[in-house]
Amino acid sequence: MLQLTLAAIAIVCACVLVGCAHDADLSRGGDSWAIAIHGGAGAIKKGESPELEPRYRESMRRVLDEGKRRLAAGDAAMDVCEALVHMLEDDELFNAGRGAVLTERGDVELDAAVMDGATLKAGAVAGVKTVRHPISLARLVSQRTSHVLLIGDGAEAFATEAGVERVPNDWFITPRRRGQLEKELQRRAESKAAAATLDTRFGTVGVVALDRSGRLASATSTGGMTGKRPGRVGDAPLIGSGTYANATVAVSCTGTGEQFIRHSVASGIAARMALIGETVEQAADHYILRVLDSGDGGLIAVDRHGRIAMPYSSAGMYRAAADSRGRDEVRIWEE
Amino acid sequence: MLQLTLAAIAIVCACVLVGCAHDADLSRGGDSWAIAIHGGAGAIKKGESPELEPRYRESMRRVLDEGKRRLAAGDAAMDVCEALVHMLEDDELFNAGRGAVLTERGDVELDAAVMDGATLKAGAVAGVKTVRHPISLARLVSQRTSHVLLIGDGAEAFATEAGVERVPNDWFITPRRRGQLEKELQRRAESKAAAATLDTRFGTVGVVALDRSGRLASATSTGGMTGKRPGRVGDAPLIGSGTYANATVAVSCTGTGEQFIRHSVASGIAARMALIGETVEQAADHYILRVLDSGDGGLIAVDRHGRIAMPYSSAGMYRAAADSRGRDEVRIWEE
């Protein structure tokens, strides 16, 4: 009986210890890599745009394949995240760089952030108007300054100093986005309820990656919300809100930015994993399915073991994922 | 022996359960109130400015007394935080509003944020140049828009729309701050090490409060760092980094903003209290004494029971605290 009760005590104590040390004791995945990509939770509705759907899938596939190639070759997670967001910024289908949504004034204001989980180095820009690749300017903030966030004219001045590629503001603007702004302004003039599809409201692009050396990184870039007030900044460029990476997990969010800010979603996922041993899926689901309202958006996250979570509560989310164990998928809705 | 071992098992189990339910089971403090105020971790060194020291103490005392009066009278925490930051913004001793530090270009760019813990409503502005009270503009963002953060020209346009008081940029500038900028630029020209006192580098003002209805709120306002790059934004206006409030705790930070951003300090404190049952002192100390580097700064925090934490790792921090149980103190260093 004594042995039995001592064993019981030992088991209880062991459970407590395991609960505390859960995260620290898991061994690294070694040579494995993993990547997740999103093109925004403001996705087209199923069956709504038969001509756009294959184009979105092809774009996500092209970006995913480039990510797979680079990670398999041993490239650093932060380099891969930046390079893939570059591709998405140049792709006018997505709300980032060229093809970004318009402010209520009819111009484009871009935000972006990067974070390297291995070093906690982070860089971000908000409200830039002439920088072709905001994600690269954000990366340069993390590399060449002691700062994290540069905004507006100050960010533009840094862009000049850094010598990055510039374009006139209307280079970013596509007829599709101009049409969406017109519809949105008309809707407001008529005091109608919110637009039927999130597609016209918001979107963002983001990439999270685990590289073969075990480093995690995150990158997010956006034009914000259609018809936004000039100067409005959402969660994308805010470290801890829409973008975060540390040694445990890398996160990139998309959706109603204000909600992600109020709940510190990106760093909150890292906190739940570190403090109460939740898996990346549990921590991501906690925010998307329980804390935020349905329709607020989604996120992508990858942990240091290469586990990927991609929950969303909007109608769809352009997303893609791959890893060294053979996972390889491009999705828009539940399929 | 059997009884003894069963009792031991029961105790271990009880500890586990208490650990999990710790926060949820504490009852509200009832009619009590508490307040903490900081005037920045970039404090003058002990004995360095015999003429400035009493002025700082008098200012903090005046602000604290107003806070005590209002909270005892039953004012809402968010109203009190805004009103007291107003006083600090008008006081040229502190790095916020009039008396803010200068950018490397010689002008002033102001950032501020508020968060109401009862509603999670948050508002913030960054890079404003003509708004006398950035904290009130931040509050208006939370009240009159669906957004959280407005920056630069967009924030100025909102200020015009909201009809808040405007001043020319040089109204904010004092001879003392101009002198500090000149010294800082000279130091850089001579490539000398960092300035000897943090006083010339940074500062911030912040107020956190618990009101008699049990509501928590936080407000932070700053001019940033002396000689900062135009467009640089620190942690003060970033919800979750330098400012945060929910139903558990309200936090306002001061120091090397970039470090507070990388570690999501303000919302991290809330997370540690909610997830692993740390007290406000434990969670605040965790960041200031262990996660951040010595000299990075400090913070003030008050929890829903009126417990106050004010740790700092800089030479000093202008700070004051009071509560309905009779606590009443103004401090600069360890005393």
Side-chain angles (χ1 to χ4, degrees):
Chain A
M1 190 62 206
L2 178 62
Q3 283 89 334
L4 199 65
T5 46
L6 283 177
I9 293 173
I11 288 168
V12 172
C13 291
C15 291
V16 176
L17 288 173
V18 166
C20 297
H22 177 271
D23 204 59
D25 276 355
L26 292 173
S27 60
R28 180 160 286 165
D31 206 33
S32 61
W33 56 263
I35 187 165
I37 302 165
H38 73 77
I44 53 174
K45 281 172 97 173
K46 208 166 185 168
E48 174 190 52
S49 299
E51 75 292 358
L52 276 176
E53 184 188 328
R55 288 177 59 200
Y56 274 109
R57 288 186 192 277
E58 281 156 28
S59 281
M60 294 299 286
R61 166 53 60 194
R62 195 170 52 89
V63 176
L64 182 66
D65 285 348
E66 175 67 5
K68 288 165 57 182
R69 189 187 67 74
R70 294 187 63 146
L71 286 168
D75 283 10
M78 189 71 265
D79 292 336
V80 175
C81 287
E82 182 189 357
L84 301 197
V85 170
H86 240 252
M87 294 173 72
L88 292 160
E89 285 177 338
D90 275 344
D91 189 331
E92 67 178 56
L93 286 174
F94 300 99
N95 176 16
R98 182 163 162 80
V101 300
L102 277 54
T103 71
E104 65 183 15
R105 198 170 48 197
D107 61 356
V108 165
E109 293 183 351
L110 304 166
D111 310 325
V114 300
M115 189 159 186
D116 186 336
T119 61
L120 294 187
K121 273 198 167 184
V125 294
V128 298
K129 298 181 183 182
T130 68
V131 175
R132 179 168 174 181
H133 291 294
I135 201 70
S136 296
L137 191 63
R139 179 101 191 263
L140 287 167
V141 170
S142 77
Q143 292 171 321
R144 299 197 193 166
T145 80
S146 57
H147 301 320
V148 169
L149 174 58
L150 294 180
I151 64 172
D153 295 342
E156 295 280 346
F158 176 64
T160 302
E161 196 182 310
V164 301
E165 186 178 353
R166 311 294 276 280
V167 291
N169 194 260
D170 60 11
W171 179 85
F172 294 109
I173 299 173
T174 61
R176 177 178 172 216
R177 298 303 189 189
R178 204 182 287 282
Q180 288 177 344
L181 175 64
E182 280 160 17
K183 264 193 205 162
E184 171 66 13
L185 295 181
Q186 195 180 344
R187 181 187 70 75
R188 290 183 195 176
E190 295 166 2
S191 297
K192 279 190 191 159
T197 65
L198 294 175
D199 178 32
T200 61
R201 279 178 49 213
F202 52 65
T204 300
V205 307
V207 180
V208 293
L210 168 74
D211 67 27
R212 289 176 58 182
S213 301
R215 293 167 296 195
L216 291 158
S218 172
T220 313
S221 183
T222 189
M225 305 168 87
T226 297
K228 71 181 177 184
R229 179 188 283 277
R232 176 264 184 185
V233 175
D235 63 319
L238 304 187
I239 299 301
S241 298
T243 303
Y244 202 71
N246 62 13
T248 303
V249 66
V251 184
S252 173
C253 304
T254 169
T256 308
E258 282 72 11
Q259 284 286 83
F260 287 80
I261 295 173
R262 287 183 191 107
H263 295 282
S264 293
V265 172
S267 63
I269 288 173
R272 296 184 72 85
M273 292 176 67
L275 297 175
I276 55 172
E278 282 191 349
T279 64
V280 65
E281 296 87 353
Q282 288 170 330
D285 283 352
H286 171 78
Y287 284 103
I288 298 303
L289 305 181
R290 285 191 288 281
V291 172
L292 301 184
D293 293 331
S294 179
D296 273 346
L299 63 84
I300 54 171
V302 58
D303 76 4
R304 63 202 178 94
H305 309 290
R307 285 188 296 239
I308 292 168
M310 300 194 287
Y312 62 94
S313 67
S314 42
M317 180 168 82
Y318 304 115
R319 62 199 189 279
D323 65 27
S324 50
R325 290 181 291 273
R327 180 172 182 169
D328 182 47
E329 63 187 54
V330 172
R331 300 273 187 274
I332 302 179
W333 313 283
E334 296 306 316
E335 283 158 47
Chain B
M1 188 65 205
L2 178 61
Q3 284 89 334
L4 198 67
T5 45
L6 283 177
I9 292 173
I11 288 169
V12 172
C13 291
C15 290
V16 175
L17 288 173
V18 166
C20 297
H22 178 272
D23 204 58
D25 278 353
L26 294 173
S27 60
R28 181 161 286 167
D31 206 34
S32 61
W33 55 263
I35 186 164
I37 302 165
H38 74 76
I44 51 173
K45 281 172 97 173
K46 208 166 187 169
E48 175 190 51
S49 299
E51 76 291 358
L52 275 176
E53 186 188 326
R55 289 177 57 199
Y56 274 109
R57 287 186 194 277
E58 281 156 29
S59 280
M60 294 298 286
R61 166 53 59 194
R62 194 170 53 88
V63 176
L64 183 65
D65 285 347
E66 175 68 5
K68 287 165 58 182
R69 189 187 67 73
R70 295 186 63 147
L71 286 168
D75 282 10
M78 189 71 265
D79 292 337
V80 175
C81 288
E82 181 189 357
L84 300 197
V85 170
H86 240 253
M87 295 173 73
L88 292 160
E89 285 177 339
D90 274 346
D91 190 331
E92 68 178 54
L93 286 174
F94 300 99
N95 176 17
R98 181 161 162 80
V101 300
L102 277 54
T103 71
E104 64 182 17
R105 199 170 47 196
D107 61 357
V108 165
E109 293 182 352
L110 303 167
D111 310 325
V114 300
M115 188 158 186
D116 186 336
T119 60
L120 293 187
K121 271 199 168 185
V125 293
V128 298
K129 299 182 183 180
T130 69
V131 176
R132 179 168 174 181
H133 291 294
I135 201 70
S136 295
L137 191 63
R139 180 101 192 263
L140 287 167
V141 170
S142 77
Q143 292 170 320
R144 297 198 193 166
T145 80
S146 58
H147 301 320
V148 169
L149 174 59
L150 294 180
I151 64 170
D153 295 342
E156 296 280 346
F158 175 65
T160 302
E161 196 181 311
V164 302
E165 187 180 351
R166 313 293 277 281
V167 291
N169 194 260
D170 59 11
W171 179 86
F172 295 109
I173 300 174
T174 61
R176 178 179 173 216
R177 298 304 190 190
R178 204 181 287 281
Q180 287 177 345
L181 175 64
E182 279 160 17
K183 265 193 203 162
E184 171 65 14
L185 296 180
Q186 194 181 345
R187 182 187 69 74
R188 289 183 193 175
E190 294 166 1
S191 297
K192 278 188 191 162
T197 65
L198 293 176
D199 178 33
T200 61
R201 280 178 51 213
F202 54 64
T204 300
V205 307
V207 179
V208 293
L210 169 73
D211 67 27
R212 288 175 60 181
S213 301
R215 292 166 298 195
L216 291 159
S218 172
T220 313
S221 182
T222 189
M225 307 169 85
T226 297
K228 71 181 178 184
R229 179 188 284 276
R232 176 265 184 185
V233 175
D235 62 320
L238 305 187
I239 299 301
S241 299
T243 303
Y244 201 72
N246 62 13
T248 303
V249 67
V251 184
S252 173
C253 303
T254 168
T256 308
E258 282 72 9
Q259 284 285 85
F260 287 81
I261 296 172
R262 287 184 190 106
H263 295 282
S264 293
V265 172
S267 63
I269 288 172
R272 295 184 73 85
M273 292 176 67
L275 298 176
I276 55 172
E278 283 191 346
T279 64
V280 65
E281 296 88 352
Q282 288 170 330
D285 283 354
H286 171 78
Y287 284 102
I288 298 303
L289 305 181
R290 286 192 288 281
V291 172
L292 301 184
D293 294 330
S294 179
D296 273 346
L299 63 83
I300 54 172
V302 59
D303 76 5
R304 64 203 178 93
H305 309 290
R307 285 188 297 239
I308 292 168
M310 301 193 286
Y312 61 95
S313 67
S314 42
M317 180 167 83
Y318 304 116
R319 62 198 189 281
D323 65 27
S324 50
R325 290 180 292 271
R327 180 172 182 170
D328 183 45
E329 64 185 54
V330 172
R331 300 273 187 273
I332 302 180
W333 313 284
E334 296 306 316
E335 283 157 47

